[in-house]
Amino acid sequence: MTLFSTIVDEVFLYVRERLEELREENLVRELPPPFSEYNVSRGTFRDGGREREVIIFCSNDYLGMTKDKEVLEEMVRAILRMGGGAGASRLVSGNFRYHEEFEDFIRGFFGLKEKQKDVLIFNSGWSANVGVISALCDDNSEIFSDELNHASIIDGIRLSKAKKSIFRHTDLDHLESLLRGSSAKFKLVISDAVFSMDGDLAPLDKIKFLCEKYGAALYVDEAHAFGLFGRGGRGLSDWIGIEPDILLFTLSKSVGLFGACVIAPQYVIRFLRSRARSFIFATALPPFILAGAKKSIQIIERAEDKRRKVFDNSRFLKLKLAEAFGEDEYIRRSIYSQITPFVIGDEVSALEISRLLLERGFFVQAIRYPSVPRGTSRLRITVSSEHSQEEIEILVENLKEVSKNVPRGTLFENRN
Ligand SMILES: Cc1ncc(COP(=O)(O)O)c(C=O)c1O
């Protein structure tokens, strides 16, 4: 036993040193307490032997679809009929009626056939970004990516052999100067639609214009926009009125389940089926997920009241924060979305404010580097259609109280 642990310690000495570095930088991540009950805006977990209910302000379950009864019933029917898993990749024996029906439904939802486009299901937004970007881009390609794009886009770029050109956040002049200087055979501009940690919107119409001007394809990740923006929740591109060459949306946020879809020209989808490694070499999503996702999107399409409630709640939160702490550029820039970055600055203060809020019954996770740039640690506050304005009001009151006793980072000091 002693001998074994000594060997392990020596073998992993380097990892332990790096873990220690993370600890010194306050960047070690710990799992929050697990929920024993969950109901979209409220969760219960065990705390020192007793059950405690908290109000959740950091989930992406924006429309409460994780608990929708019709969706759950649809999934139960499918699970009883088809079982719990797909058993293999779709290219082997994991292709079920539900996968095909779902893709057909999405073809109709976005009118893809008329546009000679098609759709492909991936197991998650993460595996879609990594698989698609690395499959499409080789050493004759150049990728132009917003500096605040999601980590899965960054990893897709790293896995590809393409030249990477990172443009300053939503900076069109910078993007244009990079495009102008490129002689790559294949140029791909990639942007989140709604930026996941900042809650601001990409200027997709202007980016599309630059893509057309310089012969680049546009790839838009609609993870946080699908379900909320556009006609029937079709996303920010639909809302703005542009057509990206490649559009990704996830089933994990507003849809309330798991998985993702990529929409692209038919021949691109055919190419991805043969080359996207995260599609080829992974067991397909369980069929019941697609049964639920179809029902969820059908419900979301008609859920105008819920969408309005999300945006009303979000504006109310931003207003209350501005009253309590003064308006800052982060609140201003996120005004149109359901995501509100409450930037604190240093990691220790962000963690401490989050911990104190949890003690008072509000679950708002602290977000640190590398999820956000260093020195901009924050609470990423999200609202759903299931929150009430009273809940939001008491969150802000409590935030004001707890932040009085916490040493603040430089950014935070600058707010007042
Ligand atoms: C912009 C963006 N893209 C992709 C993903 C990954 O999606 P998923 O959680 O479905 O893997 C996320 C989620 O965190 C995201 O915010």
Side-chain angles (χ1 to χ4, degrees), residues 118-165:
D118 206 353
V119 57
L120 189 62
I121 302 166
F122 282 80
N123 286 2
S124 66
W126 184 282
S127 72
N129 273 327
V130 168
V132 174
I133 297 167
S134 62
L136 288 181
C137 300
D138 64 1
D139 49 6
N140 288 314
S141 313
E142 184 165 349
I143 302 173
F144 305 83
S145 178
D146 188 290
E147 65 181 337
L148 294 190
N149 276 343
H150 188 257
S152 53
I153 295 176
I154 296 171
D155 285 2
I157 297 171
R158 284 180 182 161
L159 262 184
S160 80
K161 304 221 165 55
K163 178 176 178 200
K164 72 170 182 212
S165 295

Side-chain angles (χ1 to χ4, degrees), residues 9 49 165 179 218 228 301 335:
D9 280 348
S165 295
L179 280 167
L218 174 60
L228 291 178
E301 188 178 17
I335 192 74

Side-chain angles (χ1 to χ4, degrees), residues 60 123-129 148-153 192-197 221-224 248-253 257-260 380:
N60 303 318
N123 286 2
S124 66
W126 184 282
S127 72
N129 273 327
L148 294 190
N149 276 343
H150 188 257
S152 53
I153 295 176
D192 284 10
V194 174
F195 286 88
S196 55
M197 297 297 140
D221 179 340
E222 297 265 6
H224 294 277
L248 176 153
F249 67 91
T250 63
L251 309 177
S252 51
K253 295 169 173 47
L257 294 166
F258 201 74
R380 171 186 179 268

Side-chain angles (χ1 to χ4, degrees), residues 27-88:
L27 294 178
V28 173
R29 297 178 184 225
E30 304 291 354
L31 287 171
F35 292 129
S36 48
E37 300 288 337
Y38 171 79
N39 202 5
V40 186
S41 62
R42 301 219 169 211
T44 304
F45 59 79
R46 268 197 173 274
D47 181 16
R50 70 191 168 97
E51 294 283 316
R52 214 150 69 78
E53 195 188 52
V54 293
I55 310 179
I56 304 168
F57 278 107
C58 51
S59 169
N60 303 318
D61 186 6
Y62 303 122
L63 298 169
M65 295 308 290
T66 53
K67 296 287 279 196
D68 185 275
K69 203 158 169 289
E70 278 185 73
V71 172
L72 297 178
E73 282 168 359
E74 199 66 36
M75 289 202 291
V76 169
R77 274 194 290 277
I79 208 169
L80 292 175
R81 184 168 180 170
M82 293 290 186

